[in-house]
PDB file of all heavy atoms in Angstrom:
ATOM      1  N   GLU A   1      38.340  43.399  34.141  1.00 89.00           N
ATOM      2  CA  GLU A   1      37.221  44.242  33.785  1.00 89.00           C
ATOM      3  C   GLU A   1      37.582  44.929  32.480  1.00 89.00           C
ATOM      4  O   GLU A   1      38.769  45.136  32.188  1.00 89.00           O
ATOM      5  CB  GLU A   1      36.914  45.284  34.876  1.00 89.00           C
ATOM      6  CG  GLU A   1      37.981  46.337  35.074  1.00 89.00           C
ATOM      7  CD  GLU A   1      37.613  47.352  36.146  1.00 89.00           C
ATOM      8  OE1 GLU A   1      36.746  47.056  36.985  1.00 89.00           O
ATOM      9  OE2 GLU A   1      38.201  48.455  36.124  1.00 89.00           O
ATOM     10  N   PRO A   2      36.584  45.247  31.643  1.00 92.00           N
ATOM     11  CA  PRO A   2      36.889  45.946  30.399  1.00 92.00           C
ATOM     12  C   PRO A   2      37.689  47.225  30.673  1.00 92.00           C
ATOM     13  O   PRO A   2      37.386  47.954  31.619  1.00 92.00           O
ATOM     14  CB  PRO A   2      35.505  46.252  29.827  1.00 92.00           C
ATOM     15  CG  PRO A   2      34.635  45.160  30.372  1.00 92.00           C
ATOM     16  CD  PRO A   2      35.145  44.923  31.772  1.00 92.00           C
ATOM     17  N   ALA A   3      38.674  47.493  29.851  1.00 93.00           N
ATOM     18  CA  ALA A   3      39.653  48.557  30.117  1.00 93.00           C
ATOM     19  C   ALA A   3      39.120  49.934  29.732  1.00 93.00           C
ATOM     20  O   ALA A   3      39.708  50.647  28.904  1.00 93.00           O
ATOM     21  CB  ALA A   3      40.955  48.255  29.390  1.00 93.00           C
ATOM     22  N   LEU A   4      38.010  50.340  30.388  1.00 96.00           N
ATOM     23  CA  LEU A   4      37.401  51.624  30.064  1.00 96.00           C
ATOM     24  C   LEU A   4      38.259  52.796  30.519  1.00 96.00           C
ATOM     25  O   LEU A   4      38.354  53.809  29.808  1.00 96.00           O
ATOM     26  CB  LEU A   4      36.014  51.715  30.705  1.00 96.00           C
ATOM     27  CG  LEU A   4      34.823  51.214  29.882  1.00 96.00           C
ATOM     28  CD1 LEU A   4      35.021  49.757  29.476  1.00 96.00           C
ATOM     29  CD2 LEU A   4      33.514  51.386  30.646  1.00 96.00           C
ATOM     30  N   LYS A   5      38.868  52.684  31.686  1.00 94.00           N
ATOM     31  CA  LYS A   5      39.668  53.807  32.204  1.00 94.00           C
ATOM     32  C   LYS A   5      40.864  54.105  31.311  1.00 94.00           C
ATOM     33  O   LYS A   5      41.083  55.272  30.937  1.00 94.00           O
ATOM     34  CB  LYS A   5      40.104  53.514  33.638  1.00 94.00           C
ATOM     35  CG  LYS A   5      38.946  53.436  34.634  1.00 94.00           C
ATOM     36  CD  LYS A   5      39.429  53.048  36.020  1.00 94.00           C
ATOM     37  CE  LYS A   5      38.260  52.860  36.978  1.00 94.00           C
ATOM     38  NZ  LYS A   5      38.709  52.413  38.329  1.00 94.00           N
ATOM     39  N   PRO A   6      41.672  53.095  30.948  1.00 93.00           N
ATOM     40  CA  PRO A   6      42.768  53.386  30.019  1.00 93.00           C
ATOM     41  C   PRO A   6      42.268  53.935  28.682  1.00 93.00           C
ATOM     42  O   PRO A   6      42.901  54.821  28.098  1.00 93.00           O
ATOM     43  CB  PRO A   6      43.448  52.029  29.833  1.00 93.00           C
ATOM     44  CG  PRO A   6      43.100  51.252  31.046  1.00 93.00           C
ATOM     45  CD  PRO A   6      41.717  51.703  31.426  1.00 93.00           C
ATOM     46  N   ALA A   7      41.138  53.419  28.199  1.00 96.00           N
ATOM     47  CA  ALA A   7      40.599  53.900  26.927  1.00 96.00           C
ATOM     48  C   ALA A   7      40.211  55.368  27.010  1.00 96.00           C
ATOM     49  O   ALA A   7      40.477  56.152  26.089  1.00 96.00           O
ATOM     50  CB  ALA A   7      39.400  53.052  26.520  1.00 96.00           C
ATOM     51  N   ALA A   8      39.577  55.761  28.120  1.00 96.00           N
ATOM     52  CA  ALA A   8      39.181  57.157  28.293  1.00 96.00           C
ATOM     53  C   ALA A   8      40.399  58.075  28.322  1.00 96.00           C
ATOM     54  O   ALA A   8      40.359  59.206  27.815  1.00 96.00           O
ATOM     55  CB  ALA A   8      38.366  57.313  29.572  1.00 96.00           C
ATOM     56  N   ALA A   9      41.488  57.594  28.896  1.00 95.00           N
ATOM     57  CA  ALA A   9      42.705  58.405  28.962  1.00 95.00           C
ATOM     58  C   ALA A   9      43.368  58.543  27.596  1.00 95.00           C
ATOM     59  O   ALA A   9      44.034  59.553  27.331  1.00 95.00           O
ATOM     60  CB  ALA A   9      43.680  57.779  29.960  1.00 95.00           C
ATOM     61  N   LEU A  10      43.176  57.560  26.724  1.00 95.00           N
ATOM     62  CA  LEU A  10      43.866  57.561  25.434  1.00 95.00           C
ATOM     63  C   LEU A  10      43.054  58.184  24.309  1.00 95.00           C
ATOM     64  O   LEU A  10      43.630  58.686  23.335  1.00 95.00           O
ATOM     65  CB  LEU A  10      44.230  56.116  25.056  1.00 95.00           C
ATOM     66  CG  LEU A  10      45.310  55.448  25.895  1.00 95.00           C
ATOM     67  CD1 LEU A  10      45.373  53.957  25.578  1.00 95.00           C
ATOM     68  CD2 LEU A  10      46.661  56.095  25.648  1.00 95.00           C
ATOM     69  N   SER A  11      41.739  58.154  24.402  1.00 97.00           N
ATOM     70  CA  SER A  11      40.895  58.605  23.301  1.00 97.00           C
ATOM     71  C   SER A  11      41.046  60.101  23.042  1.00 97.00           C
ATOM     72  O   SER A  11      41.062  60.908  23.979  1.00 97.00           O
ATOM     73  CB  SER A  11      39.428  58.280  23.596  1.00 97.00           C
ATOM     74  OG  SER A  11      38.587  58.795  22.579  1.00 97.00           O
ATOM     75  N   LYS A  12      41.142  60.461  21.781  1.00 97.00           N
ATOM     76  CA  LYS A  12      41.212  61.870  21.382  1.00 97.00           C
ATOM     77  C   LYS A  12      39.848  62.418  20.997  1.00 97.00           C
ATOM     78  O   LYS A  12      39.558  63.592  21.197  1.00 97.00           O
ATOM     79  CB  LYS A  12      42.176  62.039  20.198  1.00 97.00           C
ATOM     80  CG  LYS A  12      43.599  61.542  20.468  1.00 97.00           C
ATOM     81  CD  LYS A  12      44.253  62.285  21.620  1.00 97.00           C
ATOM     82  CE  LYS A  12      45.697  61.810  21.796  1.00 97.00           C
ATOM     83  NZ  LYS A  12      46.337  62.427  22.986  1.00 97.00           N
ATOM     84  N   THR A  13      38.988  61.569  20.421  1.00 98.00           N
ATOM     85  CA  THR A  13      37.667  62.032  20.006  1.00 98.00           C
ATOM     86  C   THR A  13      36.645  61.957  21.129  1.00 98.00           C
ATOM     87  O   THR A  13      35.565  62.542  21.030  1.00 98.00           O
ATOM     88  CB  THR A  13      37.146  61.193  18.818  1.00 98.00           C
ATOM     89  OG1 THR A  13      36.905  59.840  19.263  1.00 98.00           O
ATOM     90  CG2 THR A  13      38.148  61.184  17.670  1.00 98.00           C
ATOM     91  N   GLY A  14      36.964  61.204  22.192  1.00 97.00           N
ATOM     92  CA  GLY A  14      36.025  61.061  23.303  1.00 97.00           C
ATOM     93  C   GLY A  14      34.912  60.073  23.027  1.00 97.00           C
ATOM     94  O   GLY A  14      33.963  59.971  23.799  1.00 97.00           O
ATOM     95  N   ARG A  15      35.018  59.313  21.930  1.00 98.00           N
ATOM     96  CA  ARG A  15      34.028  58.271  21.622  1.00 98.00           C
ATOM     97  C   ARG A  15      34.735  56.927  21.599  1.00 98.00           C
ATOM     98  O   ARG A  15      35.685  56.721  20.836  1.00 98.00           O
ATOM     99  CB  ARG A  15      33.321  58.528  20.282  1.00 98.00           C
ATOM    100  CG  ARG A  15      32.594  59.865  20.224  1.00 98.00           C
ATOM    101  CD  ARG A  15      31.617  59.911  19.048  1.00 98.00           C
ATOM    102  NE  ARG A  15      30.376  59.213  19.356  1.00 98.00           N
ATOM    103  CZ  ARG A  15      29.784  58.352  18.531  1.00 98.00           C
ATOM    104  NH1 ARG A  15      30.340  58.020  17.392  1.00 98.00           N
ATOM    105  NH2 ARG A  15      28.636  57.777  18.873  1.00 98.00           N
ATOM    106  N   ILE A  16      34.261  56.022  22.443  1.00 98.00           N
ATOM    107  CA  ILE A  16      34.942  54.749  22.672  1.00 98.00           C
ATOM    108  C   ILE A  16      33.956  53.604  22.477  1.00 98.00           C
ATOM    109  O   ILE A  16      32.867  53.606  23.066  1.00 98.00           O
ATOM    110  CB  ILE A  16      35.522  54.701  24.101  1.00 98.00           C
ATOM    111  CG1 ILE A  16      36.584  55.801  24.277  1.00 98.00           C
ATOM    112  CG2 ILE A  16      36.094  53.330  24.422  1.00 98.00           C
ATOM    113  CD1 ILE A  16      36.960  56.049  25.713  1.00 98.00           C
ATOM    114  N   GLY A  17      34.334  52.634  21.677  1.00 98.00           N
ATOM    115  CA  GLY A  17      33.529  51.439  21.505  1.00 98.00           C
ATOM    116  C   GLY A  17      33.922  50.382  22.516  1.00 98.00           C
ATOM    117  O   GLY A  17      35.096  50.243  22.857  1.00 98.00           O
ATOM    118  N   VAL A  18      32.939  49.643  23.002  1.00 98.00           N
ATOM    119  CA  VAL A  18      33.186  48.555  23.950  1.00 98.00           C
ATOM    120  C   VAL A  18      32.432  47.334  23.455  1.00 98.00           C
ATOM    121  O   VAL A  18      31.214  47.366  23.303  1.00 98.00           O
ATOM    122  CB  VAL A  18      32.708  48.900  25.372  1.00 98.00           C
ATOM    123  CG1 VAL A  18      33.109  47.802  26.353  1.00 98.00           C
ATOM    124  CG2 VAL A  18      33.238  50.256  25.820  1.00 98.00           C
ATOM    125  N   ILE A  19      33.167  46.245  23.188  1.00 98.00           N
ATOM    126  CA  ILE A  19      32.517  44.992  22.802  1.00 98.00           C
ATOM    127  C   ILE A  19      32.787  43.947  23.881  1.00 98.00           C
ATOM    128  O   ILE A  19      33.851  43.918  24.491  1.00 98.00           O
ATOM    129  CB  ILE A  19      32.985  44.487  21.428  1.00 98.00           C
ATOM    130  CG1 ILE A  19      34.512  44.344  21.366  1.00 98.00           C
ATOM    131  CG2 ILE A  19      32.490  45.413  20.318  1.00 98.00           C
ATOM    132  CD1 ILE A  19      35.020  43.745  20.060  1.00 98.00           C
ATOM    133  N   GLY A  20      31.786  43.118  24.136  1.00 95.00           N
ATOM    134  CA  GLY A  20      31.915  42.096  25.167  1.00 95.00           C
ATOM    135  C   GLY A  20      30.732  41.162  25.105  1.00 95.00           C
ATOM    136  O   GLY A  20      29.834  41.307  24.264  1.00 95.00           O
ATOM    137  N   THR A  21      30.713  40.192  26.004  1.00 91.00           N
ATOM    138  CA  THR A  21      29.556  39.305  26.079  1.00 91.00           C
ATOM    139  C   THR A  21      28.410  40.037  26.779  1.00 91.00           C
ATOM    140  O   THR A  21      28.617  41.004  27.523  1.00 91.00           O
ATOM    141  CB  THR A  21      29.879  38.029  26.861  1.00 91.00           C
ATOM    142  OG1 THR A  21      30.136  38.363  28.234  1.00 91.00           O
ATOM    143  CG2 THR A  21      31.085  37.315  26.273  1.00 91.00           C
ATOM    144  N   ARG A  22      27.217  39.563  26.553  1.00 91.00           N
ATOM    145  CA  ARG A  22      26.050  40.189  27.189  1.00 91.00           C
ATOM    146  C   ARG A  22      26.146  40.071  28.710  1.00 91.00           C
ATOM    147  O   ARG A  22      25.766  40.985  29.440  1.00 91.00           O
ATOM    148  CB  ARG A  22      24.771  39.534  26.663  1.00 91.00           C
ATOM    149  CG  ARG A  22      23.499  40.269  27.054  1.00 91.00           C
ATOM    150  CD  ARG A  22      22.307  39.731  26.273  1.00 91.00           C
ATOM    151  NE  ARG A  22      22.446  39.987  24.842  1.00 91.00           N
ATOM    152  CZ  ARG A  22      22.084  41.132  24.249  1.00 91.00           C
ATOM    153  NH1 ARG A  22      21.575  42.116  24.965  1.00 91.00           N
ATOM    154  NH2 ARG A  22      22.241  41.280  22.956  1.00 91.00           N
ATOM    155  N   GLY A  23      26.681  38.928  29.205  1.00 87.00           N
ATOM    156  CA  GLY A  23      26.816  38.744  30.649  1.00 87.00           C
ATOM    157  C   GLY A  23      27.703  39.791  31.283  1.00 87.00           C
ATOM    158  O   GLY A  23      27.427  40.290  32.382  1.00 87.00           O
ATOM    159  N   THR A  24      28.791  40.139  30.605  1.00 89.00           N
ATOM    160  CA  THR A  24      29.694  41.173  31.126  1.00 89.00           C
ATOM    161  C   THR A  24      29.069  42.546  31.045  1.00 89.00           C
ATOM    162  O   THR A  24      29.076  43.310  32.025  1.00 89.00           O
ATOM    163  CB  THR A  24      31.018  41.164  30.334  1.00 89.00           C
ATOM    164  OG1 THR A  24      31.699  39.933  30.563  1.00 89.00           O
ATOM    165  CG2 THR A  24      31.922  42.313  30.762  1.00 89.00           C
ATOM    166  N   LEU A  25      28.512  42.883  29.894  1.00 94.00           N
ATOM    167  CA  LEU A  25      28.070  44.252  29.646  1.00 94.00           C
ATOM    168  C   LEU A  25      26.750  44.600  30.319  1.00 94.00           C
ATOM    169  O   LEU A  25      26.391  45.778  30.408  1.00 94.00           O
ATOM    170  CB  LEU A  25      27.975  44.503  28.140  1.00 94.00           C
ATOM    171  CG  LEU A  25      29.291  44.310  27.368  1.00 94.00           C
ATOM    172  CD1 LEU A  25      29.098  44.656  25.896  1.00 94.00           C
ATOM    173  CD2 LEU A  25      30.417  45.142  27.964  1.00 94.00           C
ATOM    174  N   THR A  26      26.020  43.596  30.817  1.00 91.00           N
ATOM    175  CA  THR A  26      24.782  43.874  31.558  1.00 91.00           C
ATOM    176  C   THR A  26      24.962  43.654  33.057  1.00 91.00           C
ATOM    177  O   THR A  26      23.998  43.735  33.814  1.00 91.00           O
ATOM    178  CB  THR A  26      23.631  42.987  31.053  1.00 91.00           C
ATOM    179  OG1 THR A  26      23.975  41.608  31.209  1.00 91.00           O
ATOM    180  CG2 THR A  26      23.329  43.267  29.592  1.00 91.00           C
ATOM    181  N   SER A  27      26.202  43.408  33.493  1.00 90.00           N
ATOM    182  CA  SER A  27      26.448  43.136  34.914  1.00 90.00           C
ATOM    183  C   SER A  27      26.427  44.429  35.732  1.00 90.00           C
ATOM    184  O   SER A  27      26.659  45.530  35.222  1.00 90.00           O
ATOM    185  CB  SER A  27      27.812  42.465  35.098  1.00 90.00           C
ATOM    186  OG  SER A  27      28.872  43.355  34.774  1.00 90.00           O
ATOM    187  N   GLU A  28      26.146  44.285  37.015  1.00 90.00           N
ATOM    188  CA  GLU A  28      26.173  45.441  37.916  1.00 90.00           C
ATOM    189  C   GLU A  28      27.574  46.043  37.999  1.00 90.00           C
ATOM    190  O   GLU A  28      27.739  47.257  38.082  1.00 90.00           O
ATOM    191  CB  GLU A  28      25.692  45.034  39.310  1.00 90.00           C
ATOM    192  CG  GLU A  28      24.211  44.709  39.393  1.00 90.00           C
ATOM    193  CD  GLU A  28      23.779  44.425  40.827  1.00 90.00           C
ATOM    194  OE1 GLU A  28      24.548  44.753  41.751  1.00 90.00           O
ATOM    195  OE2 GLU A  28      22.681  43.880  41.005  1.00 90.00           O
ATOM    196  N   LYS A  29      28.585  45.174  37.988  1.00 90.00           N
ATOM    197  CA  LYS A  29      29.956  45.656  38.074  1.00 90.00           C
ATOM    198  C   LYS A  29      30.297  46.550  36.886  1.00 90.00           C
ATOM    199  O   LYS A  29      30.906  47.613  37.051  1.00 90.00           O
ATOM    200  CB  LYS A  29      30.927  44.473  38.138  1.00 90.00           C
ATOM    201  CG  LYS A  29      32.380  44.888  38.328  1.00 90.00           C
ATOM    202  CD  LYS A  29      33.309  43.688  38.444  1.00 90.00           C
ATOM    203  CE  LYS A  29      34.751  44.134  38.636  1.00 90.00           C
ATOM    204  NZ  LYS A  29      35.678  42.980  38.681  1.00 90.00           N
ATOM    205  N   PHE A  30      29.882  46.154  35.680  1.00 94.00           N
ATOM    206  CA  PHE A  30      30.151  46.981  34.504  1.00 94.00           C
ATOM    207  C   PHE A  30      29.359  48.280  34.572  1.00 94.00           C
ATOM    208  O   PHE A  30      29.879  49.349  34.216  1.00 94.00           O
ATOM    209  CB  PHE A  30      29.805  46.218  33.227  1.00 94.00           C
ATOM    210  CG  PHE A  30      30.094  47.009  31.977  1.00 94.00           C
ATOM    211  CD1 PHE A  30      31.391  47.119  31.492  1.00 94.00           C
ATOM    212  CD2 PHE A  30      29.069  47.645  31.294  1.00 94.00           C
ATOM    213  CE1 PHE A  30      31.662  47.864  30.353  1.00 94.00           C
ATOM    214  CE2 PHE A  30      29.326  48.383  30.147  1.00 94.00           C
ATOM    215  CZ  PHE A  30      30.632  48.490  29.680  1.00 94.00           C
ATOM    216  N   SER A  31      28.129  48.214  35.042  1.00 95.00           N
ATOM    217  CA  SER A  31      27.319  49.423  35.168  1.00 95.00           C
ATOM    218  C   SER A  31      27.970  50.428  36.111  1.00 95.00           C
ATOM    219  O   SER A  31      27.985  51.639  35.847  1.00 95.00           O
ATOM    220  CB  SER A  31      25.912  49.082  35.666  1.00 95.00           C
ATOM    221  OG  SER A  31      25.231  48.290  34.720  1.00 95.00           O
ATOM    222  N   ARG A  32      28.529  49.936  37.213  1.00 95.00           N
ATOM    223  CA  ARG A  32      29.220  50.828  38.148  1.00 95.00           C
ATOM    224  C   ARG A  32      30.475  51.422  37.515  1.00 95.00           C
ATOM    225  O   ARG A  32      30.776  52.611  37.704  1.00 95.00           O
ATOM    226  CB  ARG A  32      29.579  50.074  39.433  1.00 95.00           C
ATOM    227  CG  ARG A  32      28.384  49.699  40.294  1.00 95.00           C
ATOM    228  CD  ARG A  32      28.817  49.266  41.695  1.00 95.00           C
ATOM    229  NE  ARG A  32      29.683  48.090  41.662  1.00 95.00           N
ATOM    230  CZ  ARG A  32      29.226  46.841  41.716  1.00 95.00           C
ATOM    231  NH1 ARG A  32      27.922  46.607  41.811  1.00 95.00           N
ATOM    232  NH2 ARG A  32      30.057  45.816  41.694  1.00 95.00           N
ATOM    233  N   LEU A  33      31.208  50.598  36.763  1.00 95.00           N
ATOM    234  CA  LEU A  33      32.401  51.098  36.090  1.00 95.00           C
ATOM    235  C   LEU A  33      32.033  52.180  35.083  1.00 95.00           C
ATOM    236  O   LEU A  33      32.684  53.237  35.022  1.00 95.00           O
ATOM    237  CB  LEU A  33      33.114  49.934  35.390  1.00 95.00           C
ATOM    238  CG  LEU A  33      34.337  50.281  34.540  1.00 95.00           C
ATOM    239  CD1 LEU A  33      35.433  50.901  35.392  1.00 95.00           C
ATOM    240  CD2 LEU A  33      34.852  49.035  33.819  1.00 95.00           C
ATOM    241  N   LEU A  34      30.994  51.943  34.322  1.00 96.00           N
ATOM    242  CA  LEU A  34      30.547  52.921  33.328  1.00 96.00           C
ATOM    243  C   LEU A  34      30.113  54.218  34.009  1.00 96.00           C
ATOM    244  O   LEU A  34      30.474  55.320  33.570  1.00 96.00           O
ATOM    245  CB  LEU A  34      29.387  52.314  32.529  1.00 96.00           C
ATOM    246  CG  LEU A  34      29.092  52.866  31.139  1.00 96.00           C
ATOM    247  CD1 LEU A  34      30.301  52.717  30.226  1.00 96.00           C
ATOM    248  CD2 LEU A  34      27.902  52.124  30.544  1.00 96.00           C
ATOM    249  N   ALA A  35      29.365  54.097  35.108  1.00 96.00           N
ATOM    250  CA  ALA A  35      28.893  55.284  35.826  1.00 96.00           C
ATOM    251  C   ALA A  35      30.050  56.088  36.411  1.00 96.00           C
ATOM    252  O   ALA A  35      29.993  57.324  36.477  1.00 96.00           O
ATOM    253  CB  ALA A  35      27.923  54.870  36.931  1.00 96.00           C
ATOM    254  N   SER A  36      31.112  55.394  36.817  1.00 96.00           N
ATOM    255  CA  SER A  36      32.260  56.088  37.417  1.00 96.00           C
ATOM    256  C   SER A  36      33.000  56.953  36.418  1.00 96.00           C
ATOM    257  O   SER A  36      33.765  57.845  36.805  1.00 96.00           O
ATOM    258  CB  SER A  36      33.231  55.065  38.028  1.00 96.00           C
ATOM    259  OG  SER A  36      33.947  54.373  37.022  1.00 96.00           O
ATOM    260  N   LEU A  37      32.762  56.726  35.136  1.00 96.00           N
ATOM    261  CA  LEU A  37      33.452  57.489  34.089  1.00 96.00           C
ATOM    262  C   LEU A  37      32.522  58.450  33.369  1.00 96.00           C
ATOM    263  O   LEU A  37      32.865  58.982  32.309  1.00 96.00           O
ATOM    264  CB  LEU A  37      34.082  56.520  33.084  1.00 96.00           C
ATOM    265  CG  LEU A  37      35.171  55.606  33.660  1.00 96.00           C
ATOM    266  CD1 LEU A  37      35.530  54.508  32.681  1.00 96.00           C
ATOM    267  CD2 LEU A  37      36.409  56.410  34.041  1.00 96.00           C
ATOM    268  N   ALA A  38      31.354  58.691  33.945  1.00 93.00           N
ATOM    269  CA  ALA A  38      30.387  59.605  33.332  1.00 93.00           C
ATOM    270  C   ALA A  38      31.029  60.973  33.111  1.00 93.00           C
ATOM    271  O   ALA A  38      31.668  61.529  33.998  1.00 93.00           O
ATOM    272  CB  ALA A  38      29.156  59.735  34.223  1.00 93.00           C
ATOM    273  N   GLY A  39      30.866  61.482  31.906  1.00 93.00           N
ATOM    274  CA  GLY A  39      31.413  62.798  31.573  1.00 93.00           C
ATOM    275  C   GLY A  39      32.827  62.767  31.038  1.00 93.00           C
ATOM    276  O   GLY A  39      33.292  63.773  30.472  1.00 93.00           O
ATOM    277  N   GLN A  40      33.518  61.639  31.190  1.00 95.00           N
ATOM    278  CA  GLN A  40      34.901  61.568  30.704  1.00 95.00           C
ATOM    279  C   GLN A  40      34.980  61.154  29.239  1.00 95.00           C
ATOM    280  O   GLN A  40      35.956  61.472  28.547  1.00 95.00           O
ATOM    281  CB  GLN A  40      35.707  60.593  31.561  1.00 95.00           C
ATOM    282  CG  GLN A  40      35.850  61.035  33.005  1.00 95.00           C
ATOM    283  CD  GLN A  40      36.811  60.148  33.776  1.00 95.00           C
ATOM    284  OE1 GLN A  40      37.770  59.625  33.228  1.00 95.00           O
ATOM    285  NE2 GLN A  40      36.542  59.966  35.068  1.00 95.00           N
ATOM    286  N   ALA A  41      33.974  60.415  28.779  1.00 97.00           N
ATOM    287  CA  ALA A  41      33.939  59.967  27.387  1.00 97.00           C
ATOM    288  C   ALA A  41      32.545  59.427  27.103  1.00 97.00           C
ATOM    289  O   ALA A  41      31.759  59.170  28.022  1.00 97.00           O
ATOM    290  CB  ALA A  41      34.991  58.890  27.125  1.00 97.00           C
ATOM    291  N   GLU A  42      32.248  59.237  25.829  1.00 97.00           N
ATOM    292  CA  GLU A  42      31.011  58.575  25.425  1.00 97.00           C
ATOM    293  C   GLU A  42      31.359  57.137  25.057  1.00 97.00           C
ATOM    294  O   GLU A  42      32.226  56.898  24.217  1.00 97.00           O
ATOM    295  CB  GLU A  42      30.386  59.280  24.227  1.00 97.00           C
ATOM    296  CG  GLU A  42      29.102  58.623  23.740  1.00 97.00           C
ATOM    297  CD  GLU A  42      28.556  59.252  22.471  1.00 97.00           C
ATOM    298  OE1 GLU A  42      29.168  60.217  21.972  1.00 97.00           O
ATOM    299  OE2 GLU A  42      27.524  58.764  21.973  1.00 97.00           O
ATOM    300  N   PHE A  43      30.678  56.184  25.692  1.00 98.00           N
ATOM    301  CA  PHE A  43      30.961  54.777  25.454  1.00 98.00           C
ATOM    302  C   PHE A  43      29.822  54.154  24.651  1.00 98.00           C
ATOM    303  O   PHE A  43      28.661  54.204  25.065  1.00 98.00           O
ATOM    304  CB  PHE A  43      31.133  54.039  26.782  1.00 98.00           C
ATOM    305  CG  PHE A  43      32.348  54.484  27.555  1.00 98.00           C
ATOM    306  CD1 PHE A  43      32.247  55.456  28.538  1.00 98.00           C
ATOM    307  CD2 PHE A  43      33.599  53.938  27.277  1.00 98.00           C
ATOM    308  CE1 PHE A  43      33.358  55.880  29.246  1.00 98.00           C
ATOM    309  CE2 PHE A  43      34.715  54.350  27.980  1.00 98.00           C
ATOM    310  CZ  PHE A  43      34.605  55.325  28.969  1.00 98.00           C
ATOM    311  N   ILE A  44      30.160  53.592  23.511  1.00 98.00           N
ATOM    312  CA  ILE A  44      29.197  52.881  22.678  1.00 98.00           C
ATOM    313  C   ILE A  44      29.371  51.397  22.974  1.00 98.00           C
ATOM    314  O   ILE A  44      30.381  50.783  22.603  1.00 98.00           O
ATOM    315  CB  ILE A  44      29.419  53.186  21.181  1.00 98.00           C
ATOM    316  CG1 ILE A  44      29.159  54.663  20.903  1.00 98.00           C
ATOM    317  CG2 ILE A  44      28.511  52.329  20.323  1.00 98.00           C
ATOM    318  CD1 ILE A  44      30.335  55.574  21.131  1.00 98.00           C
ATOM    319  N   VAL A  45      28.398  50.832  23.676  1.00 98.00           N
ATOM    320  CA  VAL A  45      28.519  49.478  24.226  1.00 98.00           C
ATOM    321  C   VAL A  45      27.760  48.494  23.332  1.00 98.00           C
ATOM    322  O   VAL A  45      26.576  48.686  23.054  1.00 98.00           O
ATOM    323  CB  VAL A  45      27.971  49.434  25.668  1.00 98.00           C
ATOM    324  CG1 VAL A  45      28.024  48.025  26.216  1.00 98.00           C
ATOM    325  CG2 VAL A  45      28.767  50.392  26.556  1.00 98.00           C
TER     326      VAL A  45
END
């Protein structure tokens, strides 16, 4: 899965870019992962 959790722990500005295929980034699994990190960082997908 895209490494959002490690990225959130490492980011200093709180803004994180995420690049991937459309199939990955529009999947339910990715949506749940993104929702689980709400408030921890801003993700630009």
Side-chain angles (χ1 to χ4, degrees):
E1 67 179 20
L4 270 57
K5 295 176 185 177
L10 291 169
S11 176
K12 302 299 183 185
T13 67
R15 301 195 80 226
I16 297 166
V18 186
I19 55 176
T21 66
R22 191 169 296 275
T24 295
L25 301 183
T26 59
S27 67
E28 290 185 15
K29 184 178 180 183
F30 181 79
S31 296
R32 291 194 299 270
L33 176 62
L34 203 59
S36 73
L37 297 168
Q40 296 188 32
E42 179 185 359
F43 294 95
I44 296 86
V45 177

